[in-house]
Amino acid sequence: MKVIINNRQHLLLVEDNQRWDKFIQYFTDNTVNKNSEEWLNDFFNTFSLNKDTLLNNESLYNIFLDFFRKNVYEKSNNLMKYGNKIEEIFDLISERESKKILNSKNTPLEKIKKLILLEKKFPWRYKNLTLKEVIDRFLYDVVKYLFDNYDTIVAIKQLSIVKDKLGSDRVKGILPIVNDFASENGITLIPKHEGITFQKGDESRIRDLINYIKDVTISPKKTKRGFLNHIGQTEGGGQLSTFWSAANQSGIIQKVGGGNNITYELGPNYKEWEEGKVVAF
């Protein structure tokens, strides 16, 4: 619907815009060399600006958004003095920027990455519940999009990258969804531990361990100490501890017995791993 205004109204509108343009230039000139604390003091106190000002002027909103992106960090400690005023502006940024991301032409994978980056930008005191819910709801769409449009293993690897940026609560929520999609496509998920995935290029050590366990010419009791001796490593207490923990969690090998009598054998996921049907997540 078109709104028809008369000449007087048009002149007032132009005059108002000109006043805003002059003010914005004056504000910019007076704050350009200020540090973040001085800038915020000028914004809220010297110039008495607030959320309503930003709602009514896109240029000022973009100025604050630019300041936010460059100067606000997880441990920013100069914000609490502005109380609800800063919180209201952060809520406005959460709402506007998340809508821009969701309405963009980016793929769901690109969108979720941008949403997570946006959420991480806010100091922990100012995490926005609406933005959190947007991300939580959108995760299923991302999983479905990747499994619908990519090879299963590629989809899981992409989701694993996303998972590493999520908090533990979200990981718990997304894991069953990814596991269901993976199972439907004949893939077994194993936990990615300390970045160890046991994929091509990352398999030489696990191959050494498998060969050691399968070699019947070596002692029938396959132990960690025996493996270290087999590959020529010293027997220090922490030798290959991260690798060993990852191998056990993967199910490619498994422990037998307990206490001082622990030995190792091939695990329930070994066969699938040899067939290329195991992916770390």
Side-chain angles (χ1 to χ4, degrees):
M1 181 180 68
K2 291 184 179 180
V3 177
I4 299 175
I5 61 176
N6 59 36
N7 189 55
R8 173 60 181 163
Q9 290 171 322
H10 174 70
L11 289 174
L12 288 172
L13 184 62
V14 170
E15 186 178 333
D16 187 53
N17 287 336
Q18 289 174 341
R19 282 200 300 268
W20 270 116
D21 290 343
K22 290 179 181 178
F23 169 76
I24 290 168
Q25 187 60 54
Y26 180 71
F27 174 81
T28 302
D29 290 343
N30 279 271
T31 58
V32 65
N33 293 319
K34 301 290 180 71
N35 62 39
S36 60
E37 190 160 355
E38 293 170 335
W39 195 96
L40 285 170
N41 181 67
D42 280 353
F43 182 91
F44 287 111
N45 298 326
T46 306
F47 291 93
S48 298
L49 304 177
N50 53 37
K51 174 188 175 182
D52 291 336
T53 317
L54 303 190
L55 275 171
N56 293 315
N57 192 284
E58 190 71 17
S59 296
L60 273 175
Y61 171 80
N62 288 330
I63 288 172
F64 193 98
L65 180 63
D66 184 60
F67 169 84
F68 167 78
R69 286 171 171 161
K70 293 177 180 177
N71 298 282
V72 177
Y73 303 96
E74 181 65 30
K75 295 182 180 179
S76 296
N77 55 9
N78 59 339
L79 304 174
M80 293 183 66
K81 67 178 73 174
Y82 301 109
N84 290 336
K85 292 187 291 185
I86 191 81
E87 189 168 354
E88 288 175 350
I89 290 178
F90 284 170
D91 286 345
L92 174 63
I93 291 174
S94 290
E95 180 183 347
R96 278 196 178 180
E97 298 312 303
S98 62
K99 283 183 178 178
K100 287 179 187 176
I101 293 168
L102 290 172
N103 292 332
S104 72
K105 294 181 179 180
N106 289 327
T107 67
L109 178 60
E110 293 167 333
K111 288 178 182 179
I112 198 67
K113 289 179 179 178
K114 289 179 180 293
L115 287 169
I116 292 169
L117 283 174
L118 174 63
E119 185 181 51
K120 287 184 179 296
K121 190 71 177 101
F122 292 96
W124 66 269
R125 293 186 184 89
Y126 302 97
K127 299 300 183 185
N128 182 271
L129 182 60
T130 302
L131 178 56
K132 177 185 180 302
E133 290 175 349
V134 166
I135 294 173
D136 290 345
R137 289 196 304 267
F138 196 59
L139 281 170
Y140 178 83
D141 294 338
V142 176
V143 175
K144 188 174 187 309
Y145 163 79
L146 283 169
F147 277 97
D148 285 347
N149 292 277
Y150 289 82
D151 171 80
T152 301
I153 293 177
V154 174
I156 295 170
K157 287 180 178 179
Q158 287 292 332
L159 286 167
S160 184
I161 295 171
V162 172
K163 185 210 74 169
D164 291 343
K165 302 178 186 301
L166 301 174
S168 57
D169 288 341
R170 284 202 180 111
V171 171
K172 291 176 184 176
I174 195 177
L175 182 57
I177 302 171
V178 179
N179 194 54
D180 286 346
F181 275 100
S183 296
E184 289 172 7
N185 290 275
I187 296 295
T188 299
L189 296 185
I190 61 174
K192 181 168 62 175
H193 180 71
E194 299 291 336
I196 298 176
T197 65
F198 300 120
Q199 302 303 304
K200 287 187 176 180
D202 188 26
E203 64 176 346
S204 60
R205 187 63 74 196
I206 192 69
R207 178 59 66 191
D208 289 342
L209 178 55
I210 289 168
N211 290 340
Y212 163 73
I213 291 174
K214 292 172 70 174
D215 191 338
V216 296
T217 66
I218 304 175
S219 168
K221 289 187 176 182
K222 308 297 184 177
T223 64
K224 182 177 180 181
R225 178 176 293 180
F227 175 64
L228 290 174
N229 289 335
H230 177 68
I231 61 175
Q233 292 279 348
T234 59
E235 296 183 13
Q239 285 292 318
L240 301 180
S241 58
T242 301
F243 161 79
W244 204 267
S245 176
N248 275 288
Q249 291 183 42
S250 73
I252 298 172
I253 66 167
Q254 63 182 355
K255 286 193 296 187
V256 180
N260 294 323
N261 298 310
I262 294 176
T263 59
Y264 294 87
E265 64 183 19
L266 299 178
N269 292 331
Y270 166 68
K271 184 172 181 292
E272 286 81 1
W273 180 80
E274 288 285 18
E275 295 172 353
K277 295 179 180 178
V278 167
V279 182
F281 181 74

